[in-house]
Amino acid sequence: MATRSSLDGKRLRIATKKLAVSGRLECDSAPTGWRELAEVSRMAARELGGIGSHDAWVGASQAADPARKNRGAYATPCVLADPMAGLLLGRRSGTPARILDPSAGGGGLLLAVLRRLAGSNADAARLVDAARRLYGVELDPVARELCCLQIWLACRGVEKIDSIATRILCDNAITRDWHADEPYDALIMNPPWESLRHAGTVDRDERLCTIERLRQSSRPLGRGLPPLFSCQGRGDRNLYKAFLELAPHLVGQGGSIVALVPGAWSSDLGTGPLRELYLSHMAVEQWTSFENRERNFPIDGRYKFGVLVARRASAGTRSFRALGMADKASCLTGPHVRVSKSMVARIGGASRLIPDLSSPREARLLSKFADGGSDFFVRGSAFGQVSYERELDLTEDRRRGKYRHVTSASRRTGPARWIGDDGQPLRPLVEGRMVGQYDFFEKSWLEGAGRTARWSYNNGHRLKDCEPQFLAPPVAGVRQRVAICDITSATNTRTVRASWLPPQWRCGNTAPVLIFEDEARALAALAVLNSMVFDWQARRIVAGLHLNRFYLEAMRWPSLGAVDIEVLACRAREILSLNQRFREAAPRLALAPAEVDHVEAHVEIESVVAGGFGLSRDDLKAIFDTSERDRRGFWRAFRSDPCAAMLAERFGRPEDSQASRRRASRGEALALES
């Protein structure tokens, strides 16, 4: 009888590993060792809890594996595996004869498919038939043995385990020669999420072989597809990208694919070629993007992953169902938003991003932004030619001596002036965390470095009381620049934070700059970027944690006239002038604070921006909705910012008659009606 102490993850892993090297899979019947381990697994399910024996056993095995996180190997829990199996099998007219998991792991997805195929209370013949439809490949020999064992247990031993083992192979799916295999009828997978840039996360030789294979595109396995591994795109070599490109090559025409992958598939610049592969050579049927808020995987709750459903079809994709910001597995079978391929091209920018949409109303409103606005970086908008630049790299340029730590400066000679030991004049280097809305010095550095550095809000402090972390020589010449905070999220209080910059100050890579042709356009753009209307658009497009250029490229400026630019520039100056630090750094531009109506300045900016996108009163009500149901709603801003709360109240009621008359008297076309 197994003791309680034998049920911990370490002992389960040792037992499985012994079986992996024992050769017992070649036996025709289950030996005593298998029966003992089967009994342990059943007891583990009871002792360890969870929602099923598979989750309990695999969870215990993975918990004993310290390298699991580095390998990006996260078993699919039953709560996700079961609906994924339903998506694979539920939309087909017949039962697929050969179903493959090319990254089988401990067998969770194949077990879910087995349960669907066999049904409840299945007899022996049905279990055997279901088991013989399952195929898998797994690189880790321990996980492969666990997969074989679990399928055998689920079949109640009626299918011989050596027969199961002939279909569940221990191999590297990326380097494997698949040409001898017949196309599979269906494929389901949760491939590893690991980046191959990290040495030591897998066997060194296997890692090198995998990297070498990905460098060499080869003839496609499937007719009509691009060469295999020619769509890996820019950036890191991630294993999930390799598996996603391999999958269409392994299924025949009409074959189904259901894949659980990082959310980056739908939103990263480097995955653009993969999106194009699926949209052009597959019929994408559904994309459901999740936040890990239910802790389906033992990683950060903000981490995004998604379930992709597609089918091999030479005609490509016309439209598909999409849902963003899901949290519960039940969302996989719930309502989605119908998105056409042409809509992705219209609202997703040059890299064809798939925005996180949660309702048809969001899709219609985002389409209004795309149709009513103008391209961000294309000359011809009211903002002229806009350039994007990262001025200093906080890693490489420090080695090159292009900036220095504030503690290495000789002395401070003025409110925002230092001089080095060599007599070189120095100015504050702006980092992303220093950039607030209309504030170029929102925080001061206290101590520490990197992620552990401590900062404090400057609030009403003057420049002489503010402390940067780094200093750099002043910029030569004058350029009209706006800094943006690169580090962000769609669920932050605000996604876009932008500020005017003192002419001589430089910015680090966490505070990229937008460069404009003249001062008026720069100030008007600052007003647009900090508006809640523009931010609503950004929150549907920015899926990662950085406001990268390709996200901006997918956004639109409002279509504005010369009078609108003048009004926005004036209002931006007014709001900037409320900040003591701006008045010190730019006395030529600053106004007296008493001349500024803070709320009315913001109201007019929002009105002009909304008019530039052609938004209606109902659209504004949706944008300024105070409900907390939407994770990307502005309710955090309404809670913390009295001005934002006033804007929500103002745009949720009939338009203020005095403001309306004032706009009409200027002849501005800022109508908020349809």
Side-chain angles (χ1 to χ4, degrees), residues 96-121:
R98 301 170 74 241
I99 303 167
L100 173 69
D101 184 345
S103 54
L109 289 171
L110 289 177
L111 283 174
V113 172
L114 178 69
R115 288 191 292 268
R116 287 274 178 170
L117 289 172
S120 57
N121 302 318

mmCIF file of all heavy atoms in Angstrom, residues 96-121:
data_model
loop_
_atom_site.group_PDB
_atom_site.id
_atom_site.type_symbol
_atom_site.label_atom_id
_atom_site.label_comp_id
_atom_site.label_asym_id
_atom_site.label_seq_id
_atom_site.Cartn_x
_atom_site.Cartn_y
_atom_site.Cartn_z
ATOM 1 N N PRO A 96 -12.496 12.842 -36.714
ATOM 2 C CA PRO A 96 -11.171 12.750 -37.352
ATOM 3 C C PRO A 96 -10.501 11.426 -37.010
ATOM 4 O O PRO A 96 -10.557 10.953 -35.872
ATOM 5 C CB PRO A 96 -10.405 13.936 -36.765
ATOM 6 C CG PRO A 96 -11.134 14.310 -35.523
ATOM 7 C CD PRO A 96 -12.561 13.945 -35.734
ATOM 8 N N ALA A 97 -9.851 10.844 -38.006
ATOM 9 C CA ALA A 97 -9.218 9.540 -37.818
ATOM 10 C C ALA A 97 -7.879 9.659 -37.098
ATOM 11 O O ALA A 97 -7.494 8.755 -36.345
ATOM 12 C CB ALA A 97 -9.028 8.855 -39.167
ATOM 13 N N ARG A 98 -7.154 10.764 -37.328
ATOM 14 C CA ARG A 98 -5.818 10.921 -36.755
ATOM 15 C C ARG A 98 -5.700 12.326 -36.171
ATOM 16 O O ARG A 98 -5.759 13.317 -36.885
ATOM 17 C CB ARG A 98 -4.743 10.677 -37.816
ATOM 18 C CG ARG A 98 -4.821 9.292 -38.432
ATOM 19 C CD ARG A 98 -3.923 9.143 -39.646
ATOM 20 N NE ARG A 98 -2.522 9.049 -39.288
ATOM 21 C CZ ARG A 98 -1.586 9.908 -39.671
ATOM 22 N NH1 ARG A 98 -1.908 10.959 -40.412
ATOM 23 N NH2 ARG A 98 -0.332 9.745 -39.312
ATOM 24 N N ILE A 99 -5.528 12.396 -34.846
ATOM 25 C CA ILE A 99 -5.474 13.662 -34.115
ATOM 26 C C ILE A 99 -4.102 13.766 -33.466
ATOM 27 O O ILE A 99 -3.693 12.895 -32.701
ATOM 28 C CB ILE A 99 -6.577 13.730 -33.046
ATOM 29 C CG1 ILE A 99 -7.953 13.549 -33.699
ATOM 30 C CG2 ILE A 99 -6.516 15.057 -32.292
ATOM 31 C CD1 ILE A 99 -9.057 13.286 -32.721
ATOM 32 N N LEU A 100 -3.400 14.857 -33.735
ATOM 33 C CA LEU A 100 -2.014 15.012 -33.293
ATOM 34 C C LEU A 100 -1.878 16.132 -32.272
ATOM 35 O O LEU A 100 -2.462 17.199 -32.421
ATOM 36 C CB LEU A 100 -1.127 15.339 -34.505
ATOM 37 C CG LEU A 100 0.338 15.705 -34.213
ATOM 38 C CD1 LEU A 100 1.108 14.481 -33.716
ATOM 39 C CD2 LEU A 100 1.009 16.298 -35.448
ATOM 40 N N ASP A 101 -1.061 15.876 -31.241
ATOM 41 C CA ASP A 101 -0.537 16.933 -30.370
ATOM 42 C C ASP A 101 0.975 16.905 -30.512
ATOM 43 O O ASP A 101 1.634 15.992 -29.995
ATOM 44 C CB ASP A 101 -0.945 16.705 -28.913
ATOM 45 C CG ASP A 101 -0.494 17.854 -28.009
ATOM 46 O OD1 ASP A 101 0.347 18.663 -28.441
ATOM 47 O OD2 ASP A 101 -0.981 17.940 -26.859
ATOM 48 N N PRO A 102 1.582 17.872 -31.226
ATOM 49 C CA PRO A 102 3.030 17.848 -31.452
ATOM 50 C C PRO A 102 3.856 18.287 -30.250
ATOM 51 O O PRO A 102 5.087 18.257 -30.305
ATOM 52 C CB PRO A 102 3.208 18.825 -32.617
ATOM 53 C CG PRO A 102 2.087 19.798 -32.464
ATOM 54 C CD PRO A 102 0.941 19.012 -31.912
ATOM 55 N N SER A 103 3.205 18.708 -29.184
ATOM 56 C CA SER A 103 3.905 19.066 -27.936
ATOM 57 C C SER A 103 3.094 18.476 -26.791
ATOM 58 O O SER A 103 2.546 19.194 -25.962
ATOM 59 C CB SER A 103 4.033 20.584 -27.807
ATOM 60 O OG SER A 103 2.759 21.205 -27.922
ATOM 61 N N ALA A 104 3.026 17.156 -26.740
ATOM 62 C CA ALA A 104 2.024 16.454 -25.932
ATOM 63 C C ALA A 104 2.187 16.637 -24.431
ATOM 64 O O ALA A 104 1.217 16.541 -23.686
ATOM 65 C CB ALA A 104 2.047 14.962 -26.280
ATOM 66 N N GLY A 105 3.408 16.885 -23.961
ATOM 67 C CA GLY A 105 3.597 17.039 -22.524
ATOM 68 C C GLY A 105 3.109 15.823 -21.772
ATOM 69 O O GLY A 105 3.318 14.677 -22.170
ATOM 70 N N GLY A 106 2.399 16.071 -20.663
ATOM 71 C CA GLY A 106 1.852 14.980 -19.872
ATOM 72 C C GLY A 106 0.553 14.427 -20.400
ATOM 73 O O GLY A 106 -0.025 13.524 -19.784
ATOM 74 N N GLY A 107 0.072 14.954 -21.521
ATOM 75 C CA GLY A 107 -1.089 14.362 -22.183
ATOM 76 C C GLY A 107 -2.422 15.003 -21.886
ATOM 77 O O GLY A 107 -3.464 14.449 -22.251
ATOM 78 N N GLY A 108 -2.438 16.181 -21.265
ATOM 79 C CA GLY A 108 -3.707 16.788 -20.863
ATOM 80 C C GLY A 108 -4.661 17.020 -22.016
ATOM 81 O O GLY A 108 -5.863 16.735 -21.916
ATOM 82 N N LEU A 109 -4.171 17.547 -23.130
ATOM 83 C CA LEU A 109 -5.053 17.838 -24.265
ATOM 84 C C LEU A 109 -5.519 16.561 -24.952
ATOM 85 O O LEU A 109 -6.684 16.441 -25.353
ATOM 86 C CB LEU A 109 -4.340 18.752 -25.259
ATOM 87 C CG LEU A 109 -4.144 20.194 -24.794
ATOM 88 C CD1 LEU A 109 -3.243 20.965 -25.752
ATOM 89 C CD2 LEU A 109 -5.486 20.912 -24.655
ATOM 90 N N LEU A 110 -4.630 15.578 -25.082
ATOM 91 C CA LEU A 110 -5.041 14.308 -25.694
ATOM 92 C C LEU A 110 -6.057 13.591 -24.821
ATOM 93 O O LEU A 110 -6.991 12.949 -25.327
ATOM 94 C CB LEU A 110 -3.812 13.423 -25.932
ATOM 95 C CG LEU A 110 -2.870 13.894 -27.055
ATOM 96 C CD1 LEU A 110 -1.656 12.981 -27.142
ATOM 97 C CD2 LEU A 110 -3.595 13.962 -28.393
ATOM 98 N N LEU A 111 -5.910 13.701 -23.499
ATOM 99 C CA LEU A 111 -6.905 13.106 -22.597
ATOM 100 C C LEU A 111 -8.266 13.774 -22.761
ATOM 101 O O LEU A 111 -9.306 13.102 -22.753
ATOM 102 C CB LEU A 111 -6.447 13.240 -21.148
ATOM 103 C CG LEU A 111 -5.364 12.269 -20.685
ATOM 104 C CD1 LEU A 111 -4.926 12.624 -19.277
ATOM 105 C CD2 LEU A 111 -5.869 10.844 -20.725
ATOM 106 N N ALA A 112 -8.253 15.102 -22.925
ATOM 107 C CA ALA A 112 -9.521 15.806 -23.121
ATOM 108 C C ALA A 112 -10.182 15.364 -24.424
ATOM 109 O O ALA A 112 -11.406 15.183 -24.486
ATOM 110 C CB ALA A 112 -9.276 17.314 -23.131
ATOM 111 N N VAL A 113 -9.382 15.182 -25.473
ATOM 112 C CA VAL A 113 -9.924 14.689 -26.741
ATOM 113 C C VAL A 113 -10.469 13.274 -26.566
ATOM 114 O O VAL A 113 -11.545 12.929 -27.082
ATOM 115 C CB VAL A 113 -8.839 14.731 -27.837
ATOM 116 C CG1 VAL A 113 -9.329 14.050 -29.110
ATOM 117 C CG2 VAL A 113 -8.433 16.170 -28.132
ATOM 118 N N LEU A 114 -9.730 12.434 -25.831
ATOM 119 C CA LEU A 114 -10.181 11.062 -25.574
ATOM 120 C C LEU A 114 -11.535 11.049 -24.871
ATOM 121 O O LEU A 114 -12.435 10.275 -25.236
ATOM 122 C CB LEU A 114 -9.129 10.336 -24.731
ATOM 123 C CG LEU A 114 -9.468 8.898 -24.319
ATOM 124 C CD1 LEU A 114 -9.457 7.987 -25.534
ATOM 125 C CD2 LEU A 114 -8.473 8.396 -23.270
ATOM 126 N N ARG A 115 -11.689 11.914 -23.873
ATOM 127 C CA ARG A 115 -12.969 11.965 -23.150
ATOM 128 C C ARG A 115 -14.098 12.366 -24.096
ATOM 129 O O ARG A 115 -15.212 11.845 -24.013
ATOM 130 C CB ARG A 115 -12.873 12.951 -21.986
ATOM 131 C CG ARG A 115 -12.024 12.458 -20.823
ATOM 132 C CD ARG A 115 -12.187 13.345 -19.595
ATOM 133 N NE ARG A 115 -11.616 14.674 -19.777
ATOM 134 C CZ ARG A 115 -10.371 15.003 -19.456
ATOM 135 N NH1 ARG A 115 -9.551 14.087 -18.962
ATOM 136 N NH2 ARG A 115 -9.927 16.229 -19.630
ATOM 137 N N ARG A 116 -13.835 13.324 -24.983
ATOM 138 C CA ARG A 116 -14.860 13.768 -25.939
ATOM 139 C C ARG A 116 -15.204 12.666 -26.929
ATOM 140 O O ARG A 116 -16.365 12.475 -27.281
ATOM 141 C CB ARG A 116 -14.364 14.999 -26.688
ATOM 142 C CG ARG A 116 -14.335 16.265 -25.864
ATOM 143 C CD ARG A 116 -15.676 16.949 -25.886
ATOM 144 N NE ARG A 116 -15.664 18.135 -25.049
ATOM 145 C CZ ARG A 116 -16.649 19.028 -25.030
ATOM 146 N NH1 ARG A 116 -17.692 18.860 -25.825
ATOM 147 N NH2 ARG A 116 -16.597 20.076 -24.230
ATOM 148 N N LEU A 117 -14.189 11.963 -27.404
ATOM 149 C CA LEU A 117 -14.418 10.918 -28.396
ATOM 150 C C LEU A 117 -15.169 9.734 -27.804
ATOM 151 O O LEU A 117 -16.085 9.188 -28.427
ATOM 152 C CB LEU A 117 -13.084 10.438 -28.971
ATOM 153 C CG LEU A 117 -12.338 11.394 -29.906
ATOM 154 C CD1 LEU A 117 -10.960 10.836 -30.227
ATOM 155 C CD2 LEU A 117 -13.126 11.636 -31.183
ATOM 156 N N ALA A 118 -14.766 9.339 -26.595
ATOM 157 C CA ALA A 118 -15.352 8.138 -25.994
ATOM 158 C C ALA A 118 -16.701 8.406 -25.346
ATOM 159 O O ALA A 118 -17.584 7.551 -25.348
ATOM 160 C CB ALA A 118 -14.375 7.560 -24.967
ATOM 161 N N GLY A 119 -16.889 9.620 -24.818
ATOM 162 C CA GLY A 119 -18.124 9.920 -24.120
ATOM 163 C C GLY A 119 -18.141 9.279 -22.738
ATOM 164 O O GLY A 119 -17.227 8.553 -22.340
ATOM 165 N N SER A 120 -19.186 9.551 -22.009
ATOM 166 C CA SER A 120 -19.304 8.988 -20.655
ATOM 167 C C SER A 120 -19.766 7.536 -20.730
ATOM 168 O O SER A 120 -20.514 7.138 -21.631
ATOM 169 C CB SER A 120 -20.296 9.806 -19.823
ATOM 170 O OG SER A 120 -21.567 9.844 -20.458
ATOM 171 N N ASN A 121 -19.302 6.732 -19.779
ATOM 172 C CA ASN A 121 -19.687 5.313 -19.698
ATOM 173 C C ASN A 121 -19.388 4.559 -20.991
ATOM 174 O O ASN A 121 -20.180 3.718 -21.449
ATOM 175 C CB ASN A 121 -21.175 5.177 -19.350
ATOM 176 C CG ASN A 121 -21.522 5.851 -18.041
ATOM 177 O OD1 ASN A 121 -20.780 5.740 -17.058
ATOM 178 N ND2 ASN A 121 -22.637 6.575 -18.014
#
